């Protein structure tokens, strides 16, 4: 079975994790915590960065940091077709009122042109679906009083206005899960340029410990990254250019092979942005849900794993009472399919995937 994703872990990358194991520093202390943190800060240009144990915890810390800085803030504008962790992270601690906006059928992200109130009492959660970047600097110009935070778990290494995604909002969360462009197995990070937010989040990540050891002055969590995770992350950062070159080649070949087919379209980019090239998706413009499922099954029977586009927010049982217009989100869920996108995907494998898709389109007319 050709998997939807598998991490790129050459020996040169794994040597740091082996070193961490040999050092016996296997928990949340060790030299690779700082090494990975400083390297990632250098790469993306972040002022402050906190490593945590996974991307969901990072997004929860994003929500906690926003509430800490603006305790009276209640309303947050959220997309209605993203991975469930983006919504859950704001619900863990409560106190948030969601304003849900439908997707844009061209970008597959939130349709932020539908924002009606972007004032100082409103926050906006930017989620970069599959790595397609929302132009946060442009949004800041349109709504100078609106607070913007980013779930950048899928958008890492994408760009807006020449800067890396995640760096122009109040707080951003990153993920290094096994299917992300760079991975530490699990793992995540929070980035911000706000020193007060950084100090608060850095404390609550480690049980809310004060400057005096074992004296805790706030409610905290155990969200710390381990030295082994950090060593793996550091190894990935050391081969980042190689990983990104491989991913770029995957995206380019898919586009070359599937462009010009009437039934297929791709995510469109917002002006001034660069796609992070995390996962490659296609939209089958004339499909309904049943036909898309038939294609999924056909590819599965040919040993090709695929993934659907996200479901709308109230399709999840614990979110079923949230009201939203799902017109476009449901359309995208019924028509979009995510294809294998990992760095070591070979030319032959990509040509097999695209050939099978073309075969299905030809025989299903």
């Amino acid at each position: 079975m050709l998997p939807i994703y598998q991490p790129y872990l050459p020996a040169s990358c794994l040597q740091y994790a082996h070193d961490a194991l040999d050092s016996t520093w296997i928990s949340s202390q060790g030299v690779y915590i700082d090494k990975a943190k400083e390297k990632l800060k250098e790469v993306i240009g972040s002022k402050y960065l906190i490593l945590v144990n996974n991307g969901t915890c990072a997004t929860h810390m994003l929500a906690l940091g926003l509430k800490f800085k603006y305790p009276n803030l209640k309303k947050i504008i959220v997309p209605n077709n993203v991975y469930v962790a983006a919504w859950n992270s704001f619900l863990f601690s409560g106190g948030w009122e969601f304003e849900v906006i439908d997707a844009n059928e061209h970008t597959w992200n939130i349709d932020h042109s539908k924002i009606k109130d972007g004032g100082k009492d409103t926050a906006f959660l930017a989620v970069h679906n599959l790595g397609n970047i929302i132009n946060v600097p442009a949004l800041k110009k349109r709504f100078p009083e609106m607070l913007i935070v980013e779930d950048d778990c899928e958008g890492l290494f994408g760009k807006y206005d020449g800067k890396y995604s995640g760096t122009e909002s109040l707080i951003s969360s990153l993920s290094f899960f096994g299917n992300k462009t760079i991975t530490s197995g699990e793992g995540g990070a929070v980035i911000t340029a706000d020193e007060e937010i950084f100090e608060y989040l850095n404390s609550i990540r480690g049980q809310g410990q004060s400057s005096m050891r074992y004296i805790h002055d706030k409610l905290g969590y155990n969200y710390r990254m381990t030295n082994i995770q950090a060593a793996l992350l550091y190894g990935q950062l050391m081969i980042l250019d190689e990983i990104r070159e491989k991913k770029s080649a995957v995206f380019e070949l898919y586009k070359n092979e599937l462009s010009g087919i009437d039934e297929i379209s791709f995510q469109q980019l917002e002006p001034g942005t660069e796609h992070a090239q995390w996962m490659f998706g296609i939209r089958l413009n004339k499909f309904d849900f049943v036909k898309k499922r038939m294609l999924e099954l056909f590819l599965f029977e040919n040993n090709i794993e695929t993934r659907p586009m996200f479901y709308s927010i109230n399709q999840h049982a614990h979110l079923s009472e949230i009201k939203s217009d799902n017109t476009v989100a449901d359309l995208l869920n019924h028509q979009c399919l995510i294809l294998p996108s990992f760095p070591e995907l070979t030319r032959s494998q990509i040509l097999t995937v695209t050939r099978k898709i073309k075969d299905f389109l030809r025989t299903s007319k």
Side-chain angles (χ1 to χ4, degrees):
M1 177 68 70
L2 182 64
I4 188 76
Y5 211 93
Q6 61 186 23
Y8 180 55
L9 299 170
S12 61
C13 163
L14 294 175
Q15 63 177 309
Y16 307 100
H18 292 305
D19 182 56
L21 284 166
D22 291 341
S23 75
T24 73
W25 291 96
I26 62 172
S27 294
S28 56
Q29 296 184 45
V31 297
Y32 286 105
I33 303 292
D34 283 339
K35 280 179 175 287
K37 179 180 69 176
E38 294 305 318
K39 184 64 177 176
L40 186 55
K41 282 172 61 179
E42 174 191 331
V43 169
I44 64 176
S46 170
K47 186 173 183 180
Y48 299 112
L49 186 146
I50 304 167
L51 295 176
V52 296
N53 55 343
N54 64 59
T56 301
C57 293
T59 309
H60 183 212
M61 287 183 65
L62 180 156
L64 292 167
L66 183 58
K67 183 63 74 172
F68 162 76
K69 188 74 174 183
Y70 299 94
N72 297 320
L73 187 66
K74 292 184 179 179
K75 187 175 82 170
I76 183 163
I77 298 169
V78 299
N80 72 340
N81 68 326
V82 295
Y83 183 56
V84 69
W87 302 307
N88 287 348
S89 297
F90 282 83
L91 298 176
F92 289 152
S93 303
W96 294 99
E97 173 192 333
F98 285 176
E99 179 181 325
V100 183
I101 292 182
D102 199 7
N104 180 292
E105 66 176 301
H106 304 296
T107 67
W108 312 359
N109 286 325
I110 186 172
D111 188 351
H112 49 73
S113 68
K114 295 180 179 179
I115 296 176
K116 296 178 181 178
D117 179 11
K120 62 182 179 180
D121 297 324
T122 302
F124 175 84
L125 176 63
V127 183
H128 310 293
N129 274 340
L130 309 184
N132 197 23
I133 304 302
I134 295 170
N135 194 327
V136 169
L139 269 178
K140 289 167 69 175
K141 290 176 183 176
R142 280 174 54 203
F143 303 105
E145 293 186 318
M146 186 172 69
L147 297 166
I148 301 177
V149 293
E150 290 176 71
D151 178 334
D152 197 29
C153 291
E154 298 174 15
L156 181 59
F157 305 124
K159 288 186 176 180
Y160 39 49
D161 287 3
K163 298 178 180 179
Y164 280 114
S165 59
T167 58
E168 287 294 297
S169 54
L170 181 67
I171 322 169
S172 297
S173 60
L174 312 177
S175 172
F176 311 124
F177 184 61
N179 67 1
K180 296 301 189 290
T181 300
I182 59 172
T183 182
S184 56
E186 285 281 358
V190 183
I191 61 176
T192 184
D194 187 297
E195 183 176 8
E196 189 178 24
I197 290 174
F198 166 73
E199 295 292 348
Y200 172 72
L201 294 180
N202 200 42
S203 174
I204 66 168
R205 172 195 57 169
Q207 305 286 17
Q209 183 168 285
S210 69
S211 57
M212 183 178 294
R213 194 175 185 190
Y214 298 125
I215 294 294
H216 303 260
D217 58 6
K218 59 185 74 69
L219 176 65
Y221 305 81
N222 184 7
Y223 283 176
R224 296 169 293 188
M225 177 179 277
T226 69
N227 192 45
I228 296 173
Q229 286 178 304
L232 186 54
L233 178 61
Y234 183 72
Q236 293 271 280
L237 289 166
M238 296 303 287
I239 59 167
L240 177 60
D241 289 346
E242 183 181 352
I243 293 173
R244 296 197 65 198
E245 285 174 9
K246 288 178 177 292
K247 291 294 291 283
S248 181
V250 167
F251 270 63
E252 184 177 0
L253 185 54
Y254 268 134
K255 281 196 172 181
N256 287 343
E257 291 299 313
L258 295 173
S259 292
I261 299 174
D262 288 341
E263 296 97 327
I264 293 177
S265 61
F266 310 122
Q267 280 183 301
Q268 294 182 18
L269 276 63
E270 292 188 20
T273 67
E274 297 176 28
H275 202 287
Q277 297 184 323
W278 173 51
M279 296 290 280
F280 189 87
I282 59 172
R283 180 178 171 193
L284 299 138
N285 305 307
K286 300 177 183 180
F287 276 27
D288 57 18
F289 183 73
V290 172
K291 194 168 183 181
K292 197 276 299 272
R293 289 288 290 160
M294 289 172 62
L295 173 57
E296 287 180 292
L297 180 59
F298 173 76
L299 292 173
F300 183 80
E301 290 173 343
N302 283 275
N303 296 310
I304 299 167
E305 183 184 14
T306 59
R307 205 184 85 173
M309 187 58 186
F310 301 115
Y311 291 84
S312 53
I313 187 169
N314 40 34
Q315 293 295 306
H316 308 282
H318 68 295
L319 302 169
S320 61
E321 295 185 2
I322 293 177
K323 305 299 182 185
S324 70
D325 174 9
N326 300 330
T327 303
V328 177
D330 288 345
L331 179 67
L332 294 174
N333 174 259
H334 295 172
Q335 294 185 339
C336 295
L337 195 62
I338 316 306
L339 306 180
S341 304
F342 55 90
E344 290 184 284
L345 201 60
T346 67
R347 177 179 178 85
S348 175
Q349 288 170 326
I350 294 171
L351 293 178
T352 297
V353 174
T354 56
R355 184 176 66 251
K356 292 299 180 183
I357 292 171
K358 293 173 187 177
D359 288 347
F360 181 87
L361 292 175
R362 184 173 57 254
T363 58
S364 64
K365 288 182 178 179

